[in-house]
Amino acid sequence: MKSSPAFGQADLTNCERELIHLAGSVQPHGVLLAVREPSFEVVQASANVVDLLRRQTGELLERPLRWLGGNLEDQVRAIAQQDDLDEPVPFRCRLSLGGSDAEFEGVVHRVPGQLLVVELEPLDTPPGGVAVLELDGDTLAQHLGRAVQRLSAASSIGTLSDAVVKCFREMTGYDRVMVYKFDPDGHGKIIAEARDPRLESLLGHHYPATDIPQRARELYIRNRVRLLVDVDYAAAGLVPRQVPGSAAELDMSMCTLRSMSPLHLQYLRNMGVTATLVVSLVREGQLWGLVACHHYSPYNLRFAVRAAADLLSEVIATRIAAIDNYAYAQVAIQVRRLEQRLIEATSTEGDWRLALLRNPRTLLQPLDATGAALFHDDEVLSTGEVPSTPQLRALQQWVQTHGVDRLFHCSAVERDNPSLASLTPTASGVIAVKLSADRPDYLMWFRKEQLLTVTWAGDPAKPMVANNPMELSPRRSFAAWSELVRGTALPWSGSELALARAIGASLIDIIVQVNAVRLLIAEHQLSKVRGTVGSSNEAVIVTDGHQRTLFANEAFLRLSGRTRETPARLAAVAGLLTQPQAAQRVFDALVSDGQPWRGEFELAGSRPTPLSVRAEVVPARDGSVLGFILMFDDLTESKRALRAREHLEASLSQAAPSLAAFGSGSRENDELVSAILASASLAAMDIADGNMAPTVAPMLEELEVSTRRATTLYGRIRGFTQR
């Protein structure tokens, strides 16, 4: 196992493993005091207490916080009563410095298993000191109100990102603000930028994944706001370096003053950047991107402004979720249209496959593909520009070896499998959707090779050397460097992958229906078709025209809690439901009216299971009813999503008086309160309406947590600004 280098001891060969959370020092614009509970004695302190608190480190250690005078200990004790102090909680206090009181602001958090950490920053800026942005309460509320309204109105990731950089720059005053989005491989791209017109644009530049080590990405998820005041700061070390009574160093993951890796500082110097603010954009627990703010002279923000940036990050993440889920809703519309065309073709022509491939535009255009192939029943059917049949067979075998459940995709087949290099001209990019659980049946889309020009912020492959040729350091040049990429296609977007997955699911549904019809009209094929339908995840029952059950698949038996006992008639199926009489009336109407039916019932049991029921009538050539196909879908998750939405709406209603109390006193505050609640409500509508998403309920629950956190953050902001 490779060892992890200590903080400050890493180079470019092992920086991925640098213990950046064990920095052992702080930025000197504030002081850190590690306190033992319940005595509240200082057991560790940053060496710069002599500069900011006018106390020698040695004389401060083992003394209680009250020794510093003022109301610091009272404030910290009050906060320490909270059980959950994993995240820093801000406060303001007075300290006695040389016989006079001085105002400080700071944060307190608890390191599990270690100590209580108190971080303090003076409110008075000395003459010639670092510029500090401080906004009064009304001004900050106005900025937040305008920002929430603009962000909530964004209908795409592009327009949202443009609004983000403008709002952040207007509020914080940084020279350059960027939205930095990660791709699936971890590489970053600047997708939006607002800057001082004297600066060269970085919009569209790519940054390799190695620029942000994995350990740093993990900390970005935990600690959402990171501030660097001056890249050339002299770090103030912790005294003592290790936590007293143990051999461990203080875990500084959540410290706002934590020193930054020397490699990262050199990286910023090479870019010419002096001060930074980085705000994490987290989507479903993953680092979606960053709001990166750069300044070219030392620059600091008061805690209220930092909290406002944190609040906006929650609003942005909520909006990203809503926009992404709206794409799922659009996918659902397109899939329903395709499904209807294929069902009609099946009933009139007997083969949905020809209808699928007859019009290339309807299959290729939604995914911006140049070709497609269907592998089904040992046949290969294709449309558009595709490789030869032997090449397609080789591709099918390679995809099958990946053992993917439903979806496989890549944008550079040649890179992933050099033996398939001959496919590059017509099928460099591939999406494959599996259509059967036990057969190598696939629907694949292709994109032909497209020469790409990628603009990097400096050559990511260029050797990075310092004055000593043997010493590695971050690259010195960030000038735009263009790379011509061959052997690849345009990457598939998230919405395109969602559409492919949905089309595949629809085809699976259609295949089940078609095979169910074959059970009725082709007894000699019963064994083969029974295996296909039986292995489907769709719960299906097939009956004849007299409601006698001919077939019930394993999915239905599992759903109904049965083993091998198939219901003999539809009446027995009705008996499995909580409303058997109503269900029987529906089944009888299928016979008398000859019309399909869709609706909902509940499966009886200790905890009734909500079901979506689709009943299709299969007509015979003479006009009589040949039989019926019933398909059942478990609605438990859909109902859970509905309950989550109702619970969220109730939470919003409860949050309104609380937010209003925080925001009372000015028209801007009232507008901000309304904007925050409206943003959350609009996001809930967008998420809930996109019912193609597999995680609607967790997303609504995440939105509720985010809204509650926004309430808390705004309360803290008002707490600062009303003092």
PDB file of all heavy atoms in Angstrom, residues 376-398:
ATOM      1  N   HIS A 376     -31.508  -8.443 -32.317  1.00  0.00           N
ATOM      2  CA  HIS A 376     -32.696  -9.055 -31.713  1.00  0.00           C
ATOM      3  C   HIS A 376     -32.979 -10.378 -32.393  1.00  0.00           C
ATOM      4  O   HIS A 376     -32.980 -10.470 -33.633  1.00  0.00           O
ATOM      5  CB  HIS A 376     -33.903  -8.121 -31.851  1.00  0.00           C
ATOM      6  CG  HIS A 376     -35.114  -8.596 -31.110  1.00  0.00           C
ATOM      7  ND1 HIS A 376     -36.195  -9.160 -31.739  1.00  0.00           N
ATOM      8  CD2 HIS A 376     -35.410  -8.602 -29.776  1.00  0.00           C
ATOM      9  CE1 HIS A 376     -37.110  -9.484 -30.844  1.00  0.00           C
ATOM     10  NE2 HIS A 376     -36.659  -9.160 -29.643  1.00  0.00           N
ATOM     11  N   ASP A 377     -33.221 -11.412 -31.587  1.00  0.00           N
ATOM     12  CA  ASP A 377     -33.527 -12.742 -32.112  1.00  0.00           C
ATOM     13  C   ASP A 377     -32.465 -13.190 -33.123  1.00  0.00           C
ATOM     14  O   ASP A 377     -32.796 -13.713 -34.202  1.00  0.00           O
ATOM     15  CB  ASP A 377     -34.912 -12.765 -32.762  1.00  0.00           C
ATOM     16  CG  ASP A 377     -36.019 -12.836 -31.722  1.00  0.00           C
ATOM     17  OD1 ASP A 377     -35.716 -13.123 -30.544  1.00  0.00           O
ATOM     18  OD2 ASP A 377     -37.189 -12.590 -32.086  1.00  0.00           O
ATOM     19  N   ASP A 378     -31.204 -12.951 -32.779  1.00  0.00           N
ATOM     20  CA  ASP A 378     -30.056 -13.359 -33.610  1.00  0.00           C
ATOM     21  C   ASP A 378     -30.009 -12.658 -34.958  1.00  0.00           C
ATOM     22  O   ASP A 378     -29.261 -13.079 -35.853  1.00  0.00           O
ATOM     23  CB  ASP A 378     -30.054 -14.888 -33.825  1.00  0.00           C
ATOM     24  CG  ASP A 378     -29.889 -15.645 -32.513  1.00  0.00           C
ATOM     25  OD1 ASP A 378     -29.137 -15.155 -31.653  1.00  0.00           O
ATOM     26  OD2 ASP A 378     -30.528 -16.707 -32.348  1.00  0.00           O
ATOM     27  N   GLU A 379     -30.773 -11.608 -35.124  1.00  0.00           N
ATOM     28  CA  GLU A 379     -30.717 -10.811 -36.348  1.00  0.00           C
ATOM     29  C   GLU A 379     -30.077  -9.469 -36.042  1.00  0.00           C
ATOM     30  O   GLU A 379     -30.101  -8.990 -34.903  1.00  0.00           O
ATOM     31  CB  GLU A 379     -32.119 -10.588 -36.925  1.00  0.00           C
ATOM     32  CG  GLU A 379     -32.822 -11.845 -37.399  1.00  0.00           C
ATOM     33  CD  GLU A 379     -34.161 -11.527 -38.045  1.00  0.00           C
ATOM     34  OE1 GLU A 379     -34.183 -10.739 -39.018  1.00  0.00           O
ATOM     35  OE2 GLU A 379     -35.188 -12.030 -37.554  1.00  0.00           O
ATOM     36  N   VAL A 380     -29.529  -8.845 -37.093  1.00  0.00           N
ATOM     37  CA  VAL A 380     -28.959  -7.510 -36.981  1.00  0.00           C
ATOM     38  C   VAL A 380     -29.638  -6.622 -38.021  1.00  0.00           C
ATOM     39  O   VAL A 380     -29.530  -6.861 -39.227  1.00  0.00           O
ATOM     40  CB  VAL A 380     -27.436  -7.501 -37.212  1.00  0.00           C
ATOM     41  CG1 VAL A 380     -26.896  -6.076 -37.084  1.00  0.00           C
ATOM     42  CG2 VAL A 380     -26.731  -8.428 -36.234  1.00  0.00           C
ATOM     43  N   LEU A 381     -30.353  -5.624 -37.559  1.00  0.00           N
ATOM     44  CA  LEU A 381     -31.006  -4.647 -38.428  1.00  0.00           C
ATOM     45  C   LEU A 381     -30.382  -3.284 -38.155  1.00  0.00           C
ATOM     46  O   LEU A 381     -30.072  -2.959 -36.999  1.00  0.00           O
ATOM     47  CB  LEU A 381     -32.509  -4.602 -38.164  1.00  0.00           C
ATOM     48  CG  LEU A 381     -33.265  -5.943 -38.259  1.00  0.00           C
ATOM     49  CD1 LEU A 381     -34.708  -5.760 -37.847  1.00  0.00           C
ATOM     50  CD2 LEU A 381     -33.161  -6.513 -39.664  1.00  0.00           C
ATOM     51  N   SER A 382     -30.201  -2.474 -39.175  1.00  0.00           N
ATOM     52  CA  SER A 382     -29.497  -1.206 -38.974  1.00  0.00           C
ATOM     53  C   SER A 382     -30.112  -0.097 -39.800  1.00  0.00           C
ATOM     54  O   SER A 382     -30.892  -0.347 -40.735  1.00  0.00           O
ATOM     55  CB  SER A 382     -28.014  -1.354 -39.328  1.00  0.00           C
ATOM     56  OG  SER A 382     -27.861  -1.691 -40.697  1.00  0.00           O
ATOM     57  N   THR A 383     -29.730   1.127 -39.455  1.00  0.00           N
ATOM     58  CA  THR A 383     -30.148   2.314 -40.191  1.00  0.00           C
ATOM     59  C   THR A 383     -29.080   3.372 -40.038  1.00  0.00           C
ATOM     60  O   THR A 383     -28.337   3.399 -39.049  1.00  0.00           O
ATOM     61  CB  THR A 383     -31.510   2.833 -39.678  1.00  0.00           C
ATOM     62  OG1 THR A 383     -31.964   3.889 -40.523  1.00  0.00           O
ATOM     63  CG2 THR A 383     -31.394   3.363 -38.257  1.00  0.00           C
ATOM     64  N   GLY A 384     -28.971   4.269 -41.035  1.00  0.00           N
ATOM     65  CA  GLY A 384     -27.948   5.316 -40.992  1.00  0.00           C
ATOM     66  C   GLY A 384     -26.574   4.772 -41.347  1.00  0.00           C
ATOM     67  O   GLY A 384     -26.433   3.723 -41.989  1.00  0.00           O
ATOM     68  N   GLU A 385     -25.529   5.493 -40.931  1.00  0.00           N
ATOM     69  CA  GLU A 385     -24.152   5.086 -41.205  1.00  0.00           C
ATOM     70  C   GLU A 385     -23.681   4.153 -40.096  1.00  0.00           C
ATOM     71  O   GLU A 385     -23.553   4.566 -38.943  1.00  0.00           O
ATOM     72  CB  GLU A 385     -23.234   6.311 -41.270  1.00  0.00           C
ATOM     73  CG  GLU A 385     -23.603   7.300 -42.366  1.00  0.00           C
ATOM     74  CD  GLU A 385     -22.646   8.487 -42.394  1.00  0.00           C
ATOM     75  OE1 GLU A 385     -21.426   8.256 -42.486  1.00  0.00           O
ATOM     76  OE2 GLU A 385     -23.124   9.627 -42.306  1.00  0.00           O
ATOM     77  N   VAL A 386     -23.421   2.885 -40.473  1.00  0.00           N
ATOM     78  CA  VAL A 386     -23.043   1.879 -39.477  1.00  0.00           C
ATOM     79  C   VAL A 386     -21.896   1.038 -40.015  1.00  0.00           C
ATOM     80  O   VAL A 386     -21.668   0.974 -41.232  1.00  0.00           O
ATOM     81  CB  VAL A 386     -24.237   0.965 -39.115  1.00  0.00           C
ATOM     82  CG1 VAL A 386     -25.384   1.767 -38.528  1.00  0.00           C
ATOM     83  CG2 VAL A 386     -24.700   0.181 -40.340  1.00  0.00           C
ATOM     84  N   PRO A 387     -21.137   0.364 -39.135  1.00  0.00           N
ATOM     85  CA  PRO A 387     -20.104  -0.576 -39.591  1.00  0.00           C
ATOM     86  C   PRO A 387     -20.731  -1.773 -40.308  1.00  0.00           C
ATOM     87  O   PRO A 387     -21.953  -1.955 -40.324  1.00  0.00           O
ATOM     88  CB  PRO A 387     -19.410  -0.999 -38.290  1.00  0.00           C
ATOM     89  CG  PRO A 387     -19.774   0.055 -37.285  1.00  0.00           C
ATOM     90  CD  PRO A 387     -21.140   0.520 -37.678  1.00  0.00           C
ATOM     91  N   SER A 388     -19.863  -2.623 -40.856  1.00  0.00           N
ATOM     92  CA  SER A 388     -20.338  -3.834 -41.518  1.00  0.00           C
ATOM     93  C   SER A 388     -20.921  -4.799 -40.488  1.00  0.00           C
ATOM     94  O   SER A 388     -20.681  -4.669 -39.282  1.00  0.00           O
ATOM     95  CB  SER A 388     -19.187  -4.509 -42.260  1.00  0.00           C
ATOM     96  OG  SER A 388     -18.212  -4.977 -41.328  1.00  0.00           O
ATOM     97  N   THR A 389     -21.678  -5.794 -40.977  1.00  0.00           N
ATOM     98  CA  THR A 389     -22.295  -6.753 -40.057  1.00  0.00           C
ATOM     99  C   THR A 389     -21.262  -7.513 -39.230  1.00  0.00           C
ATOM    100  O   THR A 389     -21.438  -7.663 -38.009  1.00  0.00           O
ATOM    101  CB  THR A 389     -23.189  -7.735 -40.832  1.00  0.00           C
ATOM    102  OG1 THR A 389     -24.246  -7.006 -41.476  1.00  0.00           O
ATOM    103  CG2 THR A 389     -23.808  -8.766 -39.892  1.00  0.00           C
ATOM    104  N   PRO A 390     -20.147  -8.015 -39.819  1.00  0.00           N
ATOM    105  CA  PRO A 390     -19.133  -8.661 -38.971  1.00  0.00           C
ATOM    106  C   PRO A 390     -18.568  -7.724 -37.904  1.00  0.00           C
ATOM    107  O   PRO A 390     -18.311  -8.146 -36.768  1.00  0.00           O
ATOM    108  CB  PRO A 390     -18.056  -9.090 -39.975  1.00  0.00           C
ATOM    109  CG  PRO A 390     -18.789  -9.228 -41.276  1.00  0.00           C
ATOM    110  CD  PRO A 390     -19.822  -8.153 -41.250  1.00  0.00           C
ATOM    111  N   GLN A 391     -18.370  -6.458 -38.271  1.00  0.00           N
ATOM    112  CA  GLN A 391     -17.878  -5.494 -37.276  1.00  0.00           C
ATOM    113  C   GLN A 391     -18.913  -5.277 -36.175  1.00  0.00           C
ATOM    114  O   GLN A 391     -18.565  -5.148 -34.994  1.00  0.00           O
ATOM    115  CB  GLN A 391     -17.537  -4.173 -37.962  1.00  0.00           C
ATOM    116  CG  GLN A 391     -16.311  -4.229 -38.856  1.00  0.00           C
ATOM    117  CD  GLN A 391     -16.094  -2.937 -39.619  1.00  0.00           C
ATOM    118  OE1 GLN A 391     -17.058  -2.294 -40.063  1.00  0.00           O
ATOM    119  NE2 GLN A 391     -14.837  -2.542 -39.785  1.00  0.00           N
ATOM    120  N   LEU A 392     -20.187  -5.230 -36.550  1.00  0.00           N
ATOM    121  CA  LEU A 392     -21.242  -5.061 -35.552  1.00  0.00           C
ATOM    122  C   LEU A 392     -21.297  -6.271 -34.619  1.00  0.00           C
ATOM    123  O   LEU A 392     -21.499  -6.119 -33.408  1.00  0.00           O
ATOM    124  CB  LEU A 392     -22.597  -4.860 -36.243  1.00  0.00           C
ATOM    125  CG  LEU A 392     -22.811  -3.514 -36.932  1.00  0.00           C
ATOM    126  CD1 LEU A 392     -24.134  -3.509 -37.700  1.00  0.00           C
ATOM    127  CD2 LEU A 392     -22.794  -2.373 -35.916  1.00  0.00           C
ATOM    128  N   ARG A 393     -21.110  -7.453 -35.150  1.00  0.00           N
ATOM    129  CA  ARG A 393     -21.102  -8.649 -34.313  1.00  0.00           C
ATOM    130  C   ARG A 393     -19.939  -8.599 -33.320  1.00  0.00           C
ATOM    131  O   ARG A 393     -20.088  -8.972 -32.144  1.00  0.00           O
ATOM    132  CB  ARG A 393     -20.971  -9.896 -35.192  1.00  0.00           C
ATOM    133  CG  ARG A 393     -22.193 -10.207 -36.043  1.00  0.00           C
ATOM    134  CD  ARG A 393     -23.354 -10.685 -35.193  1.00  0.00           C
ATOM    135  NE  ARG A 393     -24.449 -11.202 -36.018  1.00  0.00           N
ATOM    136  CZ  ARG A 393     -25.637 -11.525 -35.547  1.00  0.00           C
ATOM    137  NH1 ARG A 393     -25.896 -11.384 -34.250  1.00  0.00           N
ATOM    138  NH2 ARG A 393     -26.588 -11.982 -36.351  1.00  0.00           N
ATOM    139  N   ALA A 394     -18.778  -8.149 -33.787  1.00  0.00           N
ATOM    140  CA  ALA A 394     -17.618  -8.035 -32.893  1.00  0.00           C
ATOM    141  C   ALA A 394     -17.889  -7.008 -31.791  1.00  0.00           C
ATOM    142  O   ALA A 394     -17.528  -7.208 -30.624  1.00  0.00           O
ATOM    143  CB  ALA A 394     -16.378  -7.651 -33.698  1.00  0.00           C
ATOM    144  N   LEU A 395     -18.540  -5.903 -32.163  1.00  0.00           N
ATOM    145  CA  LEU A 395     -18.885  -4.887 -31.168  1.00  0.00           C
ATOM    146  C   LEU A 395     -19.880  -5.444 -30.157  1.00  0.00           C
ATOM    147  O   LEU A 395     -19.749  -5.210 -28.939  1.00  0.00           O
ATOM    148  CB  LEU A 395     -19.474  -3.659 -31.875  1.00  0.00           C
ATOM    149  CG  LEU A 395     -19.975  -2.521 -30.974  1.00  0.00           C
ATOM    150  CD1 LEU A 395     -18.831  -1.948 -30.143  1.00  0.00           C
ATOM    151  CD2 LEU A 395     -20.639  -1.425 -31.809  1.00  0.00           C
ATOM    152  N   GLN A 396     -20.857  -6.198 -30.639  1.00  0.00           N
ATOM    153  CA  GLN A 396     -21.854  -6.801 -29.749  1.00  0.00           C
ATOM    154  C   GLN A 396     -21.183  -7.725 -28.724  1.00  0.00           C
ATOM    155  O   GLN A 396     -21.498  -7.682 -27.529  1.00  0.00           O
ATOM    156  CB  GLN A 396     -22.873  -7.588 -30.574  1.00  0.00           C
ATOM    157  CG  GLN A 396     -23.928  -8.317 -29.746  1.00  0.00           C
ATOM    158  CD  GLN A 396     -24.718  -9.311 -30.580  1.00  0.00           C
ATOM    159  OE1 GLN A 396     -24.208  -9.831 -31.588  1.00  0.00           O
ATOM    160  NE2 GLN A 396     -25.954  -9.578 -30.193  1.00  0.00           N
ATOM    161  N   GLN A 397     -20.234  -8.530 -29.177  1.00  0.00           N
ATOM    162  CA  GLN A 397     -19.541  -9.446 -28.267  1.00  0.00           C
ATOM    163  C   GLN A 397     -18.731  -8.672 -27.228  1.00  0.00           C
ATOM    164  O   GLN A 397     -18.694  -9.059 -26.050  1.00  0.00           O
ATOM    165  CB  GLN A 397     -18.626 -10.374 -29.074  1.00  0.00           C
ATOM    166  CG  GLN A 397     -19.384 -11.337 -29.964  1.00  0.00           C
ATOM    167  CD  GLN A 397     -18.460 -12.172 -30.838  1.00  0.00           C
ATOM    168  OE1 GLN A 397     -17.230 -12.074 -30.745  1.00  0.00           O
ATOM    169  NE2 GLN A 397     -19.037 -12.986 -31.722  1.00  0.00           N
ATOM    170  N   TRP A 398     -18.096  -7.583 -27.656  1.00  0.00           N
ATOM    171  CA  TRP A 398     -17.300  -6.782 -26.710  1.00  0.00           C
ATOM    172  C   TRP A 398     -18.191  -6.131 -25.657  1.00  0.00           C
ATOM    173  O   TRP A 398     -17.880  -6.144 -24.465  1.00  0.00           O
ATOM    174  CB  TRP A 398     -16.505  -5.722 -27.471  1.00  0.00           C
ATOM    175  CG  TRP A 398     -15.723  -4.803 -26.586  1.00  0.00           C
ATOM    176  CD1 TRP A 398     -14.709  -5.151 -25.742  1.00  0.00           C
ATOM    177  CD2 TRP A 398     -15.889  -3.395 -26.462  1.00  0.00           C
ATOM    178  NE1 TRP A 398     -14.217  -4.038 -25.096  1.00  0.00           N
ATOM    179  CE2 TRP A 398     -14.924  -2.942 -25.523  1.00  0.00           C
ATOM    180  CE3 TRP A 398     -16.735  -2.459 -27.050  1.00  0.00           C
ATOM    181  CZ2 TRP A 398     -14.813  -1.607 -25.159  1.00  0.00           C
ATOM    182  CZ3 TRP A 398     -16.608  -1.129 -26.694  1.00  0.00           C
ATOM    183  CH2 TRP A 398     -15.664  -0.721 -25.749  1.00  0.00           C
TER     184      TRP A 398
END
